Amino acid sequence: MTVATGARRAASPALERYEAVIGIEVHCQPKTASKLFCRCRADYDGAPPNSLVCPVCLGLPGVLPVLNRRAVEHVLRVGLAIGATIPAVTRWDRKNYFYPDLPKGYQISQYQIPLAADGRLVVETSEGPLTVRIRRAHLEEDTAKLVHADLDGRAVSLVDFNRSGAPLMEIVTEPDIRTAEGARRYAEELQLLLRTIGASDADMERGQLRVEANVSVRPRGSTELGTRIEIKNMNSFRSVERAIAHEIERQVAALEAGEPLRQETRGWDENRGLTYVMRVKESEDDYRYFPEPDLPPLRIDPAWLEAIRTELPELPAARRARYRDVLGLPPADAAVIVGDLEATALFETLLAAGSPPKAAANWVTGEYLRHRKGGSVPAERLAPARLGPELARLIALVEAGRLTLANAKAILAAHLEGGEAVETLAAGYERIDDAAAIERIVDEVLAANPAAVADVRSGKDQAVRFLVGQVMKATRGQANAARAEAAIRSRLGQADGAQGPTGPAAADQGPTDPAAADPGAEPSP
Amino acid sequence: MSGIRPAPSGADEELTRLGVGELGALLRRGEVTATQVALAHLERAERQNRALNAWLHLDREAALTAAGEADRRLAEARRSGSEALAACHPLLGIPVGLKDLVSVRGGPCTAGSRILAGYRAPYDAHITERLRAVGAVILGKTNMDEFAMGSSTEHSAYGPTANPWALDRVPGGSSGGSAAAVAAYHVPAAIGTDTGGSIRQPASLCGIVGLKPTYGRVSRYGIVAFASSLDQIGPFGRSVADAAVLLHAVAGRDERDSTSAPVSVPDELLALPDDGGAADWLRGRRLALPREYFVPGMEPGVEARVREAVAALEAAGAVIEEVSLPHTEYGLASYYIVAPAEASANLARYDGVRFGPRLGDGRDYVADYKRTRGEGFGAEVKRRIMLGTYALSAGYYDAYYLKAQKVRTLIKADFDRVFAAGFEAIVAPTSPTVAFPLGAKLADPVAMYLSDACTLPVNMAGLPGLSVPCGLSEGLPVGLQLIGPPWSELTLLRLGRAYEAITADAPWRRLEPSDLAALDDPATPTPAERLALARAAAAATA
Amino acid sequence: MAALSRADVEHVAHLARLGLSEDELSRLETELNHILEQYAVLARLDTDVIPPTAQTIELENILRDDEPGPSLPVTDVLANAADVADDFIVVPAILAAPDATGR
């Protein structure tokens, strides 16, 4: 505690003289229905304790493992997605150690020949693109869960074997990362990749994605590696960044103070904002790896690999590039859409239905995300397969000039609230473009608002906006605002043009709408 | 014990002298019931187990339930006609014993160890399911060296088993309980496991037939593991045909064992040739005699019986040629690295957390682990865990474990060469000695390990091996080992059947184990008492 | 090959989580060294170019479909455990992370 606060105070000037070297180890749960080596269900999250357990995952005498094909294919998918080398033949190894969460006293894992090796992932950081080399990705079985408890005054640990034997993919980078932000960005990008290819739901809160970091610091310019410290218990992307930033400061402060660093494992305490010692490594672990005799080797036939490759969807990096370079989306919009699988699915549905990319992107990044984050819309109404066709219809009506943007948004809100079809809702919102109809309404408005008319005549141009607003109000927003304004000016003997920064578009677009910044949002009449 | 339990005489006791085929014929004809057969065997086993200690658990209730079910199935088949009767598996209604490392749902499974005291398996092993499916009557669980580590059954935490041929001698091991039970007519057939000779060597020492199938032939699912790449499950019987029938019932692919091979199990196992046909089949068969198997330390009487058996096969028309298996001498050392290494991992699960007794004060899990394991395992098991852990540990892996796996390649290649040269089988001794006295080798682990010198190379190569009785030396049984290429069990059994046929008239075939009568004598010491006496005598001379 | 010292025997016993008495440690030191002497025979063989054999059966790609099946009833999962509470298996409080260093 005192070290940490001291470090924080002393660090800032010294930090500049050091460079951090960071490697990330991610464990994620491949998306399978059953466990890795037995047929118990793998959706252990929230299940009653010890309810998803069989002799195999309980490690009873006499049991044997049988490998889940889908779990293997998920790792192959990841390997292909990161451009890794896939071995022609791989096998399984036993990693031996004793711990109450490890029922057999060994973990079936991969040691010598991982399913994927030498891949890479490029991530965007505030300092530009960062290429992170991925040393290996392999498959292993998960351990049971230990819960610490007090049992009638006795400190105990409770073991729940539901997670025991669930598949686990370990993805280890080279120490290529130099900043806490880079580490967070790598973890985020990896999560996106895993979700995009369907290999894992990779939900950190549910333990499907666990991030550990190896952090060392060294004086800038040095090529030697400092004492490596492992950080665990980082339960969100934010805590990954905070924990590593803190750890870099702590290590630098220690070195500046002449204190030696020990090779150790530290835990991140989110509440206190510091890392604490979990385990000091006095000597190297001796896991006594040897080939698992209960499982035959796995030959990865080129045809098998090719079939998996063919089924891979477009990967996030390629998708961002396409949205940016081919569809002409601003990079920020492309990143927002690609970073969100549901948004991507909706966007692709809109494109497939013929919506113009920029308009579609505006609707997705604006209204769609706003409604989704608002949390009041039932999830099924936001499902891309259901919402897509409706939203595409809505965009088409706007594009055809039959709906104002404001009314289109109101229709979307009504559709999401009540579920009524866009077509039906739009019937009451057709835009009034007809000159005679608009002039009739303008006349009524002018007659009812003599004070404003006088203001306009005396040169107070903002009174025009008031009158346009009254026209819109009278038509429940259906009037073509530009034509209404033109009619008002013409009736009051004013020339068109002097509209200033608050032109007619302001009536259509709320000031907080990000789409307002994009001229592509409103079709020109 | 209160007084003498009279040895029942008459028809029911005589049933125990019959083999699987004969009992099956009586059952199908309805001349006896499976319940009668089960009771006859149960009563003999219960009565004699004090003096033999072949059984760790006899489950009378479960056996009689299974026998009653077999009787219903037999009655129904009889009503349905001869085809339905013929479709019944020959094991229907036949009592069998299981080595106490085979999981039987709801029953004990100690693997001969204190560390599994009180454990009840919540599931059936694959072979248990198969035996239930064919209607075999499981009488109980047999004694064994702890975790199948040993060659004498003296390493059982539940006391040693005696050899029915000489109650002061070992039955061999580790499947000594099964072998002794079959030899003493407690069951016509039993299941054992063989990691380095644990079926063949006790079969040899007890004068019965024992088969170690090809690795992958019988599913290991539900069998307590010793060394996963070497363990195989196999049958004991008093005749080759009986062993073949039991193999047929338990062999075949099981999707729960990834090393269980998708190789079909021939139905010919149920119809081995009769004496005439078997002898005819033998003519012209090429058999190899490996010179390295007549090892130093082999007893002259054993070598004599084996060479006589080879001569008999040759006289009956087999073509015998001497061959070399040059890496045989490296078998022992490499085996005693590979097997303990695998065992050190397989036995890590015995930690007192999920099953078995837990020792310690509950304050520190590492301390509790050490006490649970230190007191739960016997000396031989701890020795092998230590050896295996050391062989895999950092800095020694290459020198020991990896080296042993490379030598394993050479041992396997030796066998491959012989079979590639057209030999159908290798004939060799099973054990270099006859049954040795209780306690004789307990003080010297290496001497005990040498008991398996002729059998463990077969496990290292994953091959099938059959041991058949081939006479007596100093009044004790000698075994002839027949080794074949992968999946050649049928050939080995035909060969064994042929050897039975050509020696059918040999005087030794008519001899029963010499100490059977003493098993019914309440004054007979228990095997544990005999071992204690032997140890006391050894201590006095030392 | 190098002989095992008493400290080596203690180290291996710790790696294997075997609590051994002083007598057992002494006896094992003698026995293990005797057995290791028998292993010396292997050093005579040149195995540099020989591939290791880990399994004798020539099987590959034994995989199962990802189809869930039944688990055991909770009572069966807990039935053999020495210490149980609220459908959990109870062990001494675990404060330290796993350690496989043998020290």
Side-chain angles (χ1 to χ4, degrees):
Chain A
M1 189 77 172
T2 47
V3 173
T5 34
R8 210 167 277 283
R9 237 176 266 127
S12 294
L15 267 178
E16 294 303 313
R17 295 198 296 275
Y18 287 85
E19 172 185 62
V21 177
I22 304 162
I24 300 286
E25 193 173 305
V26 160
H27 285 91
C28 84
Q29 187 190 357
K31 196 174 181 173
T32 59
S34 61
K35 292 186 179 181
L36 184 55
F37 294 122
C38 65
R39 292 176 60 206
C40 285
R41 281 182 14 231
D43 54 342
Y44 54 79
D45 190 52
N50 291 307
S51 61
L52 302 178
V53 182
C54 74
V56 176
C57 55
L58 192 56
L60 291 187
V63 298
L64 297 168
V66 186
L67 184 60
N68 183 332
R69 180 194 313 275
R70 195 190 306 270
V72 171
E73 290 179 343
H74 280 323
V75 184
L76 294 176
R77 231 162 246 139
V78 171
L80 291 172
I82 58 173
T85 304
I86 310 289
V89 179
T90 182
R91 60 157 206 239
W92 308 90
D93 296 288
R94 289 187 182 178
K95 178 181 182 179
N96 297 284
Y97 66 96
F98 288 90
Y99 205 60
D101 69 3
L102 187 67
K104 296 189 298 297
Y106 59 84
Q107 179 189 38
I108 304 178
S109 181
Q110 295 195 288
Y111 180 57
Q112 290 197 337
I113 315 170
L115 268 166
D118 302 326
R120 62 183 50 216
L121 192 62
V122 180
V123 300
E124 293 296 330
T125 72
S126 59
E127 293 166 14
L130 166 69
T131 299
V132 181
R133 289 171 300 155
I134 294 172
R135 185 183 300 163
R136 54 185 286 150
H138 76 244
L139 191 55
E140 62 189 24
E141 55 182 337
D142 208 342
T143 57
K145 202 171 85 182
L146 291 172
V147 186
H148 307 291
D150 182 286
L151 206 65
D152 308 325
R154 183 165 61 115
V156 298
S157 293
L158 305 174
V159 200
D160 173 6
F161 288 92
N162 284 347
R163 196 180 67 187
S164 169
L168 205 56
M169 192 185 323
E170 183 180 301
I171 304 167
V172 185
T173 74
E174 298 290 348
D176 286 349
I177 302 170
R178 295 288 173 269
T179 66
E181 185 218 352
R184 172 179 58 80
R185 286 292 305 121
Y186 164 76
E188 287 172 343
E189 185 67 14
L190 183 63
Q191 180 194 52
L192 175 62
L193 183 78
L194 292 167
R195 289 178 169 177
T196 302
I197 63 178
S200 172
D201 287 337
D203 189 335
M204 278 185 100
E205 280 175 12
R206 299 175 70 193
Q208 294 161 338
L209 185 78
R210 302 167 219 163
V211 180
E212 289 163 27
N214 286 305
V215 179
S216 64
V217 298
R218 62 186 176 197
R220 276 189 199 282
S222 165
T223 51
E224 280 171 43
L225 289 172
T227 304
R228 202 182 70 174
I229 293 180
E230 194 180 333
I231 316 175
K232 291 178 184 272
N233 291 357
M234 299 176 289
N235 297 321
S236 66
F237 293 122
R238 184 170 165 269
S239 64
V240 168
E241 184 163 356
R242 286 182 69 204
I244 294 172
H246 164 81
E247 183 59 22
I248 293 168
E249 288 179 22
R250 188 192 69 84
Q251 291 184 21
V252 168
L255 292 180
E256 286 289 296
E259 295 163 14
L261 292 166
R262 291 177 302 186
Q263 196 182 332
E264 61 194 13
T265 302
R266 300 179 70 90
W268 169 244
D269 185 328
E270 180 75 35
N271 294 327
R272 293 194 295 165
L274 51 82
T275 61
Y276 60 92
V277 179
M278 289 175 86
R279 178 190 162 201
V280 179
K281 278 193 178 180
E282 279 158 4
S283 55
E284 281 302 305
D285 282 320
D286 186 352
Y287 290 119
R288 290 161 281 134
Y289 283 100
F290 75 100
E292 166 58 89
D294 286 332
L295 289 168
L298 191 67
R299 181 174 297 278
I300 299 148
D301 190 74
W304 186 17
L305 205 55
E306 210 38 54
I308 294 169
R309 193 195 305 274
T310 310
E311 284 172 10
L312 276 184
E314 185 179 34
L315 301 180
R319 187 171 280 161
R320 272 191 294 259
R322 176 166 65 89
Y323 287 0
R324 210 175 48 225
D325 303 340
V326 179
L327 304 182
L329 300 191
D333 284 4
V336 167
I337 295 173
V338 174
D340 184 315
L341 288 191
E342 294 279 292
T344 303
L346 180 60
F347 181 65
E348 291 289 334
T349 312
L350 295 176
L351 291 183
S355 302
K358 288 188 184 179
N362 282 330
W363 279 96
V364 170
T365 57
E367 291 300 290
Y368 162 73
L369 285 179
R370 188 172 65 78
H371 282 294
R372 205 181 75 186
K373 284 170 185 159
S376 58
V377 179
E380 70 269 16
R381 291 209 185 120
L382 287 163
R386 175 164 169 181
L387 176 59
E390 295 289 332
L391 185 53
R393 224 162 280 141
L394 195 61
I395 294 172
L397 289 171
V398 175
E399 291 296 308
R402 291 172 57 197
L403 280 181
T404 64
L405 199 50
N407 279 339
K409 287 175 186 172
I411 289 168
L412 176 64
H415 167 72
L416 291 175
E417 196 192 324
E420 236 183 307
V422 161
E423 204 100 322
T424 318
L425 291 165
Y429 282 100
E430 288 275 353
R431 192 162 79 174
I432 301 168
D433 285 328
D434 178 68
I438 288 176
E439 277 164 21
R440 198 163 52 244
I441 297 158
V442 164
D443 288 342
E444 284 167 21
V445 166
L446 295 183
N449 294 282
V453 169
D455 283 350
V456 174
R457 290 214 160 106
S458 68
K460 291 181 182 164
D461 199 56
Q462 60 267 47
V464 174
R465 282 197 56 220
F466 170 78
L467 290 169
V468 171
Q470 293 306 302
V471 172
M472 298 309 285
K473 194 176 165 188
T475 59
R476 296 189 2 260
Q478 283 166 273
N480 182 326
R483 291 191 182 174
E485 182 176 343
I488 291 166
R489 289 185 189 279
S490 142
R491 276 283 190 277
L492 299 182
Q494 291 217 332
D496 283 359
Q499 292 163 7
T502 51
D508 273 8
Q509 295 173 337
T512 55
D513 189 343
D518 186 347
E522 179 71 53
S524 28
Chain B
M1 280 281 148
S2 57
I4 300 179
R5 286 175 72 176
S9 53
D12 280 1
E13 176 73 6
E14 277 167 24
L15 288 175
T16 60
R17 293 300 199 276
L18 303 180
V20 172
E22 297 151 312
L23 285 170
L26 292 178
L27 287 167
R28 274 186 288 280
R29 287 201 301 269
E31 290 174 26
V32 293
T33 64
T35 304
Q36 266 178 294
V37 172
L39 276 171
H41 286 89
L42 265 174
E43 276 163 17
R44 182 175 173 85
E46 285 167 350
R47 195 175 73 232
Q48 296 188 341
N49 201 41
R50 196 192 66 86
L52 193 63
N53 200 34
W55 300 89
L56 295 181
H57 327 281
L58 280 161
D59 194 338
R60 176 175 268 261
E61 198 185 317
L64 293 179
T65 304
E69 174 61 23
D71 282 329
R72 270 188 297 280
R73 284 169 68 171
L74 281 161
E76 189 173 325
R78 233 177 277 117
R79 275 196 303 277
S80 305
S82 58
E83 262 180 48
L85 262 184
C88 290
H89 196 276
L91 271 187
L92 177 58
I94 304 294
V96 294
L98 302 182
K99 189 176 181 177
D100 198 25
L101 44 47
V102 180
S103 302
V104 176
R105 189 181 161 77
C109 185
T110 67
S113 182
R114 263 193 305 275
I115 213 161
L116 277 170
Y119 167 70
R120 294 283 182 282
Y123 73 109
D124 272 343
H126 176 73
I127 68 158
T128 307
E129 289 178 357
R130 296 290 282 265
L131 289 170
R132 290 191 202 282
V134 300
V137 176
I138 297 167
L139 232 51
K141 308 292 287 294
T142 60
N143 200 9
M144 57 184 287
D145 284 301
E146 184 176 6
F147 285 103
M149 296 176 185
S151 310
S152 68
T153 316
E154 293 165 294
H155 295 305
S156 168
Y158 304 98
T161 296
N163 188 319
W165 287 83
L167 296 182
D168 56 353
R169 290 182 182 254
V170 303
S174 63
S175 312
S178 284
V182 171
Y185 301 102
H186 293 183
V187 272
I191 288 289
T193 61
D194 189 318
T195 304
S198 284
I199 291 174
R200 289 158 291 160
Q201 185 256 16
S204 171
L205 269 52
C206 288
I208 60 171
V209 175
L211 173 72
K212 181 250 155 197
T214 311
Y215 184 84
R217 179 63 101 170
V218 181
S219 167
R220 295 180 292 119
Y221 185 78
I223 311 296
V224 177
F226 161 14
S228 308
S229 78
L230 302 164
D231 294 346
Q232 255 299 289
I233 296 94
F236 288 104
R238 289 188 296 267
S239 71
V240 170
D242 286 3
V245 165
L246 185 50
L247 174 70
H248 183 272
V250 298
R253 164 85 183 138
D254 169 23
E255 61 180 21
R256 292 164 303 185
D257 176 357
S258 305
T259 63
S260 145
V263 175
S264 65
V265 180
D267 285 336
E268 290 96 317
L269 288 171
L270 300 181
L272 292 183
D274 61 14
D275 282 4
D280 286 348
W281 179 86
L282 184 62
R283 269 189 281 281
R285 303 278 158 185
R286 283 185 71 207
L287 306 177
L289 186 67
R291 63 178 75 99
E292 291 84 359
Y293 276 61
F294 294 88
V295 293
M298 172 166 285
E299 292 174 351
V302 171
E303 176 161 356
R305 290 302 89 74
V306 172
R307 292 206 183 273
E308 285 161 20
V310 171
L313 288 166
E314 196 161 23
V319 180
I320 313 267
E321 287 171 48
E322 194 170 276
V323 298
S324 175
L325 295 165
H327 295 94
T328 302
E329 65 169 312
Y330 305 102
L332 194 74
S334 53
Y335 173 87
Y336 275 97
I337 292 169
V338 172
E342 292 184 6
S344 72
N346 283 333
L347 270 59
R349 73 191 61 193
Y350 302 97
D351 56 14
V353 172
R354 291 143 295 121
F355 50 84
R358 187 192 299 175
L359 304 179
D361 60 16
R363 283 206 290 270
D364 170 19
Y365 86 95
V366 175
D368 285 6
Y369 271 24
K370 287 184 173 178
R371 253 198 88 187
T372 298
R373 293 165 59 76
E375 295 180 33
F377 290 133
E380 179 62 25
V381 170
K382 285 189 271 194
R383 195 147 48 224
R384 298 210 198 179
I385 291 174
M386 291 288 287
L387 269 176
T389 304
Y390 179 66
L392 290 172
S393 66
Y396 299 99
Y397 181 90
D398 286 2
Y400 291 118
Y401 183 77
L402 188 62
K403 181 84 182 183
Q405 297 286 42
K406 290 177 163 198
V407 174
R408 189 174 186 180
T409 305
L410 297 173
I411 291 169
K412 186 169 182 293
D414 283 355
F415 285 111
D416 290 347
R417 257 193 308 277
V418 169
F419 297 124
F423 291 99
E424 289 196 67
I426 292 166
V427 284
T430 303
S431 163
T433 70
V434 294
F436 44 88
L438 282 160
K441 296 186 180 179
L442 271 182
D444 184 354
V446 173
M448 185 77 89
Y449 297 170
L450 281 166
S451 300
D452 294 330
C454 299
T455 47
L456 52 83
V458 178
N459 299 73
M460 291 292 271
L463 303 175
L466 176 70
S467 181
V468 295
C470 66
L472 304 176
S473 166
E474 297 166 38
L476 295 165
V478 175
L480 176 72
Q481 186 178 200
L482 304 166
I483 303 162
W487 322 117
S488 68
E489 286 85 352
L490 183 59
T491 301
L492 295 183
L493 289 160
R494 281 177 171 158
L495 197 53
R497 183 73 267 280
Y499 178 71
E500 277 180 347
I502 62 176
T503 55
D505 297 330
W508 57 266
R509 287 231 176 252
R510 283 186 288 281
L511 295 176
E512 284 202 328
S514 11
D515 275 355
L516 284 187
L519 291 173
D520 279 323
D521 182 350
T524 299
T526 66
E529 288 163 353
R530 289 177 191 274
L531 179 56
L533 281 173
R535 280 176 151 157
T541 31
Chain C
M1 282 175 220
L4 252 80
S5 68
R6 171 69 174 237
D8 291 336
V9 175
E10 287 172 8
H11 167 67
V12 174
H14 177 75
L15 269 182
R17 298 296 187 266
L18 287 175
L20 300 174
S21 67
E22 292 298 309
D23 276 2
E24 285 180 298
L25 289 167
S26 302
R27 204 167 54 240
L28 278 165
E29 187 184 340
T30 312
E31 287 171 351
L32 296 183
N33 277 306
H34 181 46
I35 294 166
L36 292 180
E37 282 166 26
Q38 317 298 310
Y39 294 173
V41 67
L42 297 179
R44 296 209 306 256
L45 276 176
D46 180 1
T47 54
D48 283 356
V49 298
I50 308 296
T53 296
Q55 289 168 315
T56 53
I57 194 160
E58 287 166 5
L59 292 174
E60 282 179 348
N61 292 26
I62 303 298
L63 295 149
R64 72 180 166 83
D65 292 336
D66 180 28
E67 284 163 6
S71 299
L72 285 175
V74 143
T75 48
D76 280 5
V77 173
L78 306 176
N80 284 299
D83 195 355
V84 161
D86 300 334
D87 288 351
F88 289 98
I89 290 174
V90 181
V91 294
I94 310 292
L95 303 170
D99 174 1
T101 58
R103 294 289 167 206

